[in-house]
Amino acid sequence: MNVVVMGAQWGDEGKGKIVDYLAEEAKYVCRFAGGANAGHTIVVDGKKYALHQVPSGILYPEKQVFLGSGMVIDPEALFAELQMLSDNGIQWEGRVFISDRAHIVLPGYREMDRQRDAARKRPIGTTGRGIGTTYSQKSERDGIRLADLDWSERMDDLDQADKDFLAPYMERLLAMRVDIAAKMWEIRSENILFEGAQGAMLDLDSGTYPFVSSGASCSAGASTGAGIGPRAIDKIYGVFKAYQTRVGNGPMPTEFNADTESELCDYVRRTGNEFGVTTGRARRCGYLDLVALRYACHVNSIDSLVLTHLDVYDDMDEIEACVAYEIDGTLVTDFPASIPLLNRAKPVLERFQGWKQPLKETTSYAKLPKNAKKYIEFIEAFTETDVGIVSVGAERSQRFAR
């Protein structure tokens, strides 16, 4: 069975933990998009693992993991991450493979990323990791793939600084390469889990362009980025938080008002630990945007939603979620493509009674408080998509299926 796990918001939804959970039933895990700009956090027995390029399933000793064709690989960051795993007793050798069609992030791309964003009239808020530039080089047909590292004529095109950067990584990278299309066909009868990066609203085509990531963070990216056909995908999970966050610039209609809701914002940010795994910068926070979530479900054919961070609302007397936008005096219930319209959108909020009890020890949906169930059931009805998994804490064990 081929299962896709993708973000259903603007990233940082808790995908890493959910991939780690679902990986228990999978034999292989393949990351299909993004690069070192992603940050997937997993907590096992109180120990935190921050993964950026290596698929989250690596923490299971018997799993093989793949960095797919849709990824852009930063060798320096990758081997630092692998060293971190080794230092923590995770034996990864012989279990991590890289698609020979994946592109390589060169050191000059990072500075190009920062310079390009600084020169924009409306900066995107890039992480400066060279991700956007690598994807740009890829689309312009000037990039370097893993398969090109032993193509001497192509390597001669690089400047000396890039050659010097790659030199200590060449043999190790080539030893990990795999023809991922052939491999996916070979293991097609096995359980394969496909892990996305960022989120649906940051997808290059269906997100809030131009304030998006450069890769395919949509469900279809699992096909293009992992070497399988779209009909081979059996199930798509969309992960979302009980509220909304965003990193970087771009529209966010439900963002908490800095003047009147700063206390609520600080509470959610502090309780939910809303600081970037990769950058450490504070995330923008706001009410759950059900208009955007329903849009993400529709354009990605999400079969089942995964709700995370529900416990962040444990102490709240009342919870609010956005069910429509008011734009220039008009009620809007579909997610607009227009950035000016989204910037003028004011959230129309629905109120829910809080449950006022801790959820971290909850082990089943049946044991959730009545008001927590009402909140979930409203989300399901609004998005027309079932919530199949609920997470109530950072630990691997703090989640349950419906």
Side-chain angles (χ1 to χ4, degrees), residues 63-295:
K63 312 295 181 185
Q64 290 186 2
V65 302
F66 301 90
L67 283 67
S69 305
M71 288 190 67
V72 289
I73 310 300
D74 182 329
E76 184 178 37
L78 174 62
F79 286 105
E81 189 173 329
L82 292 172
Q83 185 60 52
M84 176 276 292
L85 291 170
S86 294
D87 293 344
N88 282 279
I90 307 297
Q91 300 298 317
W92 60 267
E93 292 86 349
R95 298 197 295 122
V96 180
F97 303 92
I98 308 172
S99 169
D100 54 9
R101 289 178 169 85
H103 279 245
I104 305 296
V105 180
L106 296 175
Y109 294 173
R110 299 172 194 163
E111 184 58 31
M112 287 171 67
D113 240 8
R114 290 188 283 267
Q115 289 179 0
R116 284 180 176 182
D117 207 41
R120 289 185 173 106
K121 292 182 179 179
R122 288 171 290 278
I124 294 169
T126 174
T127 60
R129 302 301 297 265
I131 306 302
T133 298
T134 308
Y135 277 117
S136 175
Q137 294 292 97
K138 175 181 178 178
S139 65
E140 292 174 3
R141 293 159 290 182
D142 290 321
I144 293 291
R145 306 172 303 161
L146 179 56
D148 301 330
L149 295 185
D150 55 4
W151 178 11
S152 58
E153 293 172 320
R154 183 69 185 92
M155 295 303 291
D156 286 342
D157 294 338
L158 299 181
D159 61 35
Q160 193 58 47
D162 288 336
K163 291 178 183 178
D164 292 342
F165 168 76
L166 287 171
Y169 304 115
M170 293 273 284
E171 288 188 14
R172 287 185 286 173
L173 286 169
L174 290 170
M176 297 163 69
R177 67 176 165 181
V178 65
D179 181 336
I180 203 163
K183 186 65 178 179
M184 290 296 123
W185 181 254
E186 174 192 330
I187 62 176
R188 64 190 181 280
S189 61
E190 304 285 357
N191 290 337
I192 311 172
L193 187 59
F194 297 93
E195 176 182 9
Q198 285 78 49
M201 308 310 294
L202 290 173
D203 182 69
L204 189 60
D205 290 305
S206 55
T208 51
Y209 186 90
F211 301 98
V212 292
S213 186
S214 300
S217 50
C218 57
S219 58
S223 178
T224 59
I228 63 169
R231 288 169 56 189
I233 296 172
D234 298 300
K235 188 165 187 175
I236 300 168
Y237 282 102
V239 186
F240 75 105
K241 285 187 282 206
Y243 48 92
Q244 202 86 15
T245 65
R246 179 165 193 167
V247 172
N249 300 329
M252 184 180 170
T254 65
E255 186 169 12
F256 294 135
N257 186 291
D259 296 323
T260 61
E261 297 169 320
S262 60
E263 187 175 337
L264 176 59
C265 182
D266 289 342
Y267 171 80
V268 170
R269 183 177 288 148
R270 183 179 65 256
T271 309
N273 191 29
E274 295 300 345
F275 300 90
V277 177
T278 302
T279 63
R281 59 182 169 179
R283 297 176 184 137
R284 299 159 62 189
C285 299
Y287 301 105
L288 174 61
D289 189 336
L290 289 172
V291 178
L293 183 61
R294 180 172 60 190
Y295 167 75

Side-chain angles (χ1 to χ4, degrees), residues 354-385:
W355 40 91
K356 301 291 288 182
Q357 67 184 76
L359 299 183
K360 289 187 183 295
E361 303 303 319
T362 307
T363 56
S364 70
Y365 185 81
K367 293 180 180 179
L368 280 175
K370 179 178 65 174
N371 287 343
K373 289 180 185 177
K374 283 184 177 180
Y375 187 54
I376 294 171
E377 288 162 6
F378 185 89
I379 293 169
E380 291 180 316
F382 191 94
T383 61
E384 302 172 290
T385 309

